[in-house]
Amino acid sequence: MKLVTIILNKTECLDDILEEFGNNNIPGATIIDSKGMVQELYEHDHEDMFFLMSLRSLLTPTHKENKTIIMVAKDEDVKVISAIVNKATGGLDKPDTGILFTIPVDYVEGIKH
Protein backbone atom coordinates (compact mmCIF):
# COMPACT_ATOMS: atom_id res chain seq x y z
CA MET A 1 0.00 0.00 0.00
CA LYS A 2 1.06 3.56 -0.67
CA LEU A 3 0.02 6.97 0.54
CA VAL A 4 -0.41 8.89 -2.70
CA THR A 5 -0.16 12.67 -2.43
CA ILE A 6 -1.01 14.91 -5.37
CA ILE A 7 -0.50 18.65 -5.09
CA LEU A 8 -2.54 19.98 -7.98
CA ASN A 9 -1.79 23.48 -9.22
CA LYS A 10 -4.13 23.11 -12.21
CA THR A 11 -7.22 22.97 -10.01
CA GLU A 12 -9.48 23.13 -13.05
CA CYS A 13 -8.49 19.50 -13.70
CA LEU A 14 -9.78 18.24 -10.34
CA ASP A 15 -13.23 17.10 -11.52
CA ASP A 16 -11.78 15.17 -14.47
CA ILE A 17 -9.26 13.47 -12.19
CA LEU A 18 -11.86 12.46 -9.62
CA GLU A 19 -14.23 11.21 -12.33
CA GLU A 20 -11.47 9.04 -13.81
CA PHE A 21 -10.58 7.72 -10.36
CA GLY A 22 -14.20 6.58 -10.05
CA ASN A 23 -14.18 5.07 -13.55
CA ASN A 24 -11.08 3.06 -12.57
CA ASN A 25 -12.37 1.88 -9.18
CA ILE A 26 -9.93 4.04 -7.24
CA PRO A 27 -11.94 5.22 -4.21
CA GLY A 28 -11.31 7.19 -1.09
CA ALA A 29 -9.51 10.38 -2.03
CA THR A 30 -9.48 13.30 0.40
CA ILE A 31 -9.19 16.79 -1.10
CA ILE A 32 -7.68 19.63 0.91
CA ASP A 33 -7.47 23.30 -0.09
CA SER A 34 -3.81 24.28 0.07
CA LYS A 35 -1.40 27.05 -0.82
CA GLY A 36 2.27 26.96 -1.71
CA MET A 37 5.00 29.00 -0.07
CA VAL A 38 5.52 31.27 -3.07
CA GLN A 39 1.78 31.91 -3.30
CA GLU A 40 1.63 32.87 0.37
CA LEU A 41 4.65 35.17 0.21
CA TYR A 42 3.43 36.74 -3.03
CA GLU A 43 0.05 37.41 -1.45
CA HIS A 44 1.65 39.21 1.49
CA ASP A 45 3.91 41.22 -0.82
CA HIS A 46 7.16 40.97 1.15
CA GLU A 47 9.07 43.28 -1.24
CA ASP A 48 11.99 43.66 1.15
CA MET A 49 12.84 39.97 1.17
CA PHE A 50 15.69 39.06 -1.18
CA PHE A 51 14.60 35.43 -1.08
CA LEU A 52 11.12 36.26 -2.31
CA MET A 53 12.47 38.53 -5.02
CA SER A 54 14.62 35.72 -6.35
CA LEU A 55 11.60 33.41 -6.33
CA ARG A 56 9.41 35.99 -8.03
CA SER A 57 11.87 36.29 -10.86
CA LEU A 58 11.57 32.54 -11.41
CA LEU A 59 7.93 31.93 -10.52
CA THR A 60 4.89 34.11 -10.84
CA PRO A 61 1.97 32.18 -9.45
CA THR A 62 -0.85 32.02 -11.98
CA HIS A 63 -3.16 30.49 -9.40
CA LYS A 64 -4.08 31.48 -5.87
CA GLU A 65 -4.56 28.03 -4.43
CA ASN A 66 -3.81 24.36 -4.92
CA LYS A 67 -5.77 21.24 -4.19
CA THR A 68 -3.98 18.52 -2.28
CA ILE A 69 -5.37 15.04 -2.90
CA ILE A 70 -4.36 12.27 -0.52
CA MET A 71 -5.32 8.61 -0.70
CA VAL A 72 -4.16 5.20 0.40
CA ALA A 73 -3.86 3.05 -2.71
CA LYS A 74 -2.79 -0.43 -3.68
CA ASP A 75 0.73 -0.55 -5.12
CA GLU A 76 -0.62 -1.65 -8.51
CA ASP A 77 -2.97 1.37 -8.66
CA VAL A 78 -0.19 3.97 -8.40
CA LYS A 79 0.64 3.75 -12.13
CA VAL A 80 -3.05 4.11 -13.00
CA ILE A 81 -3.37 7.13 -10.69
CA SER A 82 -0.27 8.71 -12.22
CA ALA A 83 -1.57 8.14 -15.77
CA ILE A 84 -4.93 9.70 -14.90
CA VAL A 85 -3.34 12.78 -13.33
CA ASN A 86 -0.85 13.23 -16.19
CA LYS A 87 -3.56 12.89 -18.83
CA ALA A 88 -5.90 15.37 -17.10
CA THR A 89 -3.20 17.98 -16.47
CA GLY A 90 -1.33 17.65 -19.75
CA GLY A 91 1.66 16.25 -17.86
CA LEU A 92 3.21 16.86 -14.47
CA ASP A 93 6.47 17.54 -16.27
CA LYS A 94 5.02 20.88 -17.41
CA PRO A 95 5.70 23.95 -15.23
CA ASP A 96 3.16 25.00 -12.62
CA THR A 97 1.07 21.83 -13.03
CA GLY A 98 1.58 19.91 -9.80
CA ILE A 99 3.48 17.07 -8.21
CA LEU A 100 2.68 13.49 -7.25
CA PHE A 101 4.59 11.37 -4.77
CA THR A 102 4.07 8.23 -2.72
CA ILE A 103 5.09 7.06 0.73
CA PRO A 104 4.97 3.41 1.82
CA VAL A 105 2.11 2.52 4.18
CA ASP A 106 2.64 -0.46 6.44
CA TYR A 107 -0.56 -0.27 8.50
CA VAL A 108 -4.11 0.90 7.77
CA GLU A 109 -7.37 0.85 9.72
CA GLY A 110 -10.76 2.06 8.64
CA ILE A 111 -10.65 1.25 4.93
CA LYS A 112 -11.31 -1.87 2.94
CA HIS A 113 -8.11 -3.50 1.68
Side-chain angles (χ1 to χ4, degrees):
M1 303 282 286
K2 302 284 188 201
L3 174 67
V4 179
T5 302
I6 304 158
I7 301 171
L8 185 65
N9 293 345
K10 290 182 77 173
T11 57
E12 65 273 14
C13 300
L14 180 64
D15 289 343
D16 291 339
I17 291 168
L18 297 178
E19 184 176 333
E20 283 303 308
F21 286 172
N23 292 340
N24 286 274
N25 298 315
I26 299 172
T30 297
I31 297 98
I32 303 167
D33 292 329
S34 54
K35 187 184 300 187
M37 182 180 79
V38 172
Q39 295 161 325
E40 182 68 21
L41 291 173
Y42 189 81
E43 190 174 286
H44 287 97
D45 202 27
H46 294 282
E47 291 292 342
D48 57 338
M49 295 177 62
F50 175 77
F51 175 69
L52 176 60
M53 294 303 290
S54 64
L55 287 177
R56 278 192 183 170
S57 67
L58 297 173
L59 302 169
T60 302
T62 57
H63 53 279
K64 295 186 182 212
E65 68 174 5
N66 306 357
K67 296 291 185 180
T68 299
I69 305 165
I70 57 173
M71 59 188 2
V72 175
K74 298 175 190 169
D75 290 354
E76 59 269 20
D77 287 341
V78 172
K79 286 185 180 183
V80 176
I81 292 166
S82 176
I84 290 168
V85 172
N86 275 284
K87 181 178 179 187
T89 61
L92 293 174
D93 59 334
K94 306 283 190 292
D96 204 26
T97 303
I99 63 170
L100 182 154
F101 62 90
T102 65
I103 300 171
V105 173
D106 61 357
Y107 181 78
V108 177
E109 278 190 41
I111 62 173
K112 255 182 156 174
H113 300 286

